[in-house]
């Protein structure tokens, strides 16, 4: 929630902002919030965030333009999500996928196309909400050129990310400098958890204004199906104990820890245990290599009979998987927020997560799930058994998790806070001090 009482208008007023304040730009260059496969790839959480924030802001009365990078000639230049919300794709570099670490050199072209778009359509965005560090650089240029007010959500901090990988990319110095500059110059930074704000202060800069507004999730979509119906659809017996992982194949996601923990479970030999690893991958890419490594570990441990890897779980099918599970495990080495945790909780499924980052904010220990030290196989095994061996407690945790998401992490709650923030910043633009005589 927003930390400081800054005199924001009421939610009712926000539903009818003044016409000149209705237009807002959301910038997310690295992914594509209009993709048919939203939720896939390295920045799945960011894509979902921008997509749903845009559509929810439109329902509050804002005119929302989402800007991203076009990666193929077949993509539509404009995708209309609703009467007040659209995604606009600009060319920036070759029309092909470009790895994140190689994108920076094409950003000036993106800025040029965005300025051209504004001129051709007689638009000037008073507020731009940028996402991740490439987009934040674009926002800083718009601030310099036309005085746009900038709100930024990091989604991931280089200062932490580079601690978790062996090969630091050449762009790292540039990224860290931009992340520091945006914190010190943007009108407002949105941290998605208290832990992320703390990391910004400790690792990036003590300057700048930060508000805490978390990710959200669709509480009508997640929680729309019961465990019984979900298991019937998936052909899973009601007595089977189901452990679920959702996320990408990446060593930093801790899937190996989960696999080895399930192997140490007391239920390992019961013929009543099922592990589902829901994640997409591309053969030959880093995620494909990680999938092959995980499959090798599963086979070496003799877990193939009760472990399934169904591939990428679409947004349409995800609620069924969450509902069918007894527990969802998020064993990440680090998470700025942990979107999977609140999706599972919204589905009434308790969460076992690493005691790191934003997961310490989303999961309440002993109330909505359990937190354990990252990469601690024995601790994860013990936590999994605690929940699987106590069905009544599992149900209590699930109900408490659903209630927490309804009150703290629904899109309605989250976007109302963002809308208040934007309105407050625009009020500051309008209310200029009188000239001295």
């Amino acid at each position: 929630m927003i930390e400081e009482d800054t005199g924001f208008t009421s939610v009712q007023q926000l539903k009818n902002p003044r016409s000149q304040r209705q237009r807002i730009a959301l910038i997310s260059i690295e992914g594509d919030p209009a993709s048919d496969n939203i939720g896939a790839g390295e920045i799945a959480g960011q894509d979902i965030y921008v997509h749903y924030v845009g559509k929810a802001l439109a329902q509050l009365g804002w005119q929302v333009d989402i800007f991203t990078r076009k990666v193929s000639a077949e993509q539509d230049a404009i995708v209309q999500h609703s009467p007040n919300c659209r995604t606009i794709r600009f060319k920036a570099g070759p029309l092909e996928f470009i790895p994140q670490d190689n994108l920076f050199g094409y950003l000036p072209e993106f800025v040029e196309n965005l300025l051209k778009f504004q001129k051709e359509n007689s638009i000037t965005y008073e507020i731009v909400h940028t996402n991740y560090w490439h987009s934040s650089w674009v926002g800083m240029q718009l601030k310099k050129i036309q005085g746009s007010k900038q709100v930024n959500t990091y989604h991931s901090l280089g200062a932490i990310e580079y601690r978790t990988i062996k090969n630091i990319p050449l762009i790292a110095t540039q990224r860290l400098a931009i992340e520091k500059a945006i914190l010190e110059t943007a009108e407002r930074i949105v941290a998605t958890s208290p832990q992320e704000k703390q990391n910004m202060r400790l690792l990036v800069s003590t300057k700048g204004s930060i508000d805490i507004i978390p990710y959200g999730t669709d509480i009508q979509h997640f929680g729309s199906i019961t465990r019984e119906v979900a298991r019937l659809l998936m052909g899973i017996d009601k007595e089977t104990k189901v452990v679920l992982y959702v996320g990408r194949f990446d060593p930093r996601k801790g899937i190996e820890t989960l696999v080895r923990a399930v192997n140490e479970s007391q239920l390992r030999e019961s013929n009543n245990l099922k592990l589902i690893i829901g994640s997409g991958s591309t053969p030959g890419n880093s995620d494909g290599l990680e999938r092959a490594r995980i499959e090798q570990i599963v086979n070496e441990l003799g877990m193939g009979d009760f472990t399934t890897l169904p591939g990428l779980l679409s947004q349409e099918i995800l609620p069924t998987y969450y509902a069918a599970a007894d527990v969802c495990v998020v064993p990440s080495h680090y998470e700025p927020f942990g979107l999977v945790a609140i999706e599972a909780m919204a589905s009434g499924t308790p969460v076992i997560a690493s005691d790191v980052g934003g997961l310490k904010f989303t999961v309440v220990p002993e109330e909505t799930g359990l937190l354990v030290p990252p990469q601690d196989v024995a601790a994860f095994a013990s936590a999994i058994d605690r929940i699987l061996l106590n069905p009544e407690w599992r149900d209590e945790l699930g109900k408490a998790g659903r209630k927490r998401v309804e009150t703290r992490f629904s899109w309605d709650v989250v976007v109302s806070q963002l809308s208040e923030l934007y309105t407050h910043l625009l009020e500051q633009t309008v209310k200029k001090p009188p000239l001295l005589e």
Side-chain angles (χ1 to χ4, degrees), residues 234-266:
M234 294 178 64
I236 299 175
D237 186 86
K238 65 179 182 179
E239 299 301 324
T240 300
K241 304 297 184 181
V242 179
V243 179
L244 174 68
Y245 166 85
V246 175
R248 68 178 186 270
F249 279 108
D250 185 317
R252 293 170 294 180
K253 290 295 183 179
I255 305 174
E256 178 179 351
T257 299
L258 169 61
V259 170
R260 295 189 182 281
V262 171
N263 186 58
E264 292 190 6
S265 167
Q266 296 179 39

Side-chain angles (χ1 to χ4, degrees), residues 148-394:
S148 298
K149 289 183 176 292
Q150 186 174 8
V151 175
N152 184 71
T153 303
Y154 283 99
H155 296 283
S156 174
L157 288 173
I160 292 180
E161 187 175 318
Y162 295 143
R163 292 180 172 185
T164 65
I165 58 178
K166 294 181 180 178
N167 299 317
I168 307 299
L170 295 176
I171 198 67
T173 301
Q174 185 77 64
R175 175 181 176 179
L176 295 173
I178 290 171
E179 289 185 339
K180 182 175 187 294
I182 189 63
L183 177 52
E184 295 179 348
T185 62
E187 273 67 29
R188 203 63 56 91
I189 298 296
V190 172
T192 56
S193 69
Q195 290 74 22
E196 187 183 24
K197 177 180 177 179
Q198 182 180 36
N199 285 326
M200 290 178 198
R201 289 298 186 220
L202 291 174
L203 303 174
V204 183
S205 178
T206 57
K207 300 177 182 178
S209 300
I210 304 173
D211 286 336
I212 299 171
I213 304 177
Y215 276 34
T217 195
D218 187 341
I219 59 174
Q220 278 73 48
H221 185 55
F222 296 105
S224 60
I225 186 171
T226 65
R227 177 181 285 109
E228 292 73 23
V229 172
R231 291 194 170 201
L232 182 64
L233 291 173
M234 294 178 64
I236 299 175
D237 186 86
K238 65 179 182 179
E239 299 301 324
T240 300
K241 304 297 184 181
V242 179
V243 179
L244 174 68
Y245 166 85
V246 175
R248 68 178 186 270
F249 279 108
D250 185 317
R252 293 170 294 180
K253 290 295 183 179
I255 305 174
E256 178 179 351
T257 299
L258 169 61
V259 170
R260 295 189 182 281
V262 171
N263 186 58
E264 292 190 6
S265 167
Q266 296 179 39
L267 297 169
R268 170 69 169 81
E269 305 299 332
S270 68
N271 296 319
N272 233 9
L273 186 62
K274 186 175 185 65
L275 171 62
I276 301 175
I277 303 173
S279 181
S281 61
T282 303
N285 286 1
S286 60
D287 56 356
L289 296 175
E290 177 65 2
R291 174 179 175 131
R293 190 179 75 87
I294 294 300
E295 286 183 306
Q296 182 179 356
I297 294 171
V298 167
N299 292 331
E300 287 175 352
L301 295 174
M303 297 172 60
D305 289 345
F306 61 89
T307 301
T308 60
L309 292 84
L312 176 67
L313 302 179
S314 69
Q315 290 296 300
E316 289 71 27
I317 197 64
L318 257 179
T320 301
Y321 275 80
Y322 281 130
D326 288 281
V327 65
C328 180
V329 182
V330 187
S332 306
H333 300 173
Y334 175 73
E335 286 287 351
F337 179 76
L339 183 59
V340 166
I342 62 170
E343 290 177 346
M345 287 158 57
S347 304
T349 299
V351 174
I352 297 171
S354 297
D355 188 14
V356 297
L359 292 169
K360 295 192 286 187
F361 173 55
T362 53
V363 179
V364 181
E366 308 290 336
E367 183 178 321
T368 69
L370 296 170
L371 292 175
V372 297
Q375 304 183 65
D376 189 329
V377 172
F380 272 97
S382 176
I384 289 169
D385 285 342
R386 281 189 65 193
I387 292 178
L388 294 187
L389 295 172
N390 193 338
E392 292 183 0
W393 188 47
R394 175 205 65 200

Side-chain angles (χ1 to χ4, degrees), residues 401-437:
R402 171 69 187 188
K403 183 177 180 181
R404 178 166 171 77
V405 173
E406 288 175 343
T407 57
R408 299 291 297 276
F409 304 121
S410 74
W411 281 123
D412 286 345
V413 171
V414 169
V415 174
S416 289
Q417 294 177 61
L418 287 171
S419 188
E420 289 185 38
L421 172 57
Y422 304 149
T423 301
H424 172 66
L425 294 177
L426 290 173
E427 288 287 349
Q428 290 181 329
T429 301
V430 174
K431 295 179 180 179
K432 296 180 180 179
L435 295 174
L436 296 175
E437 297 182 358

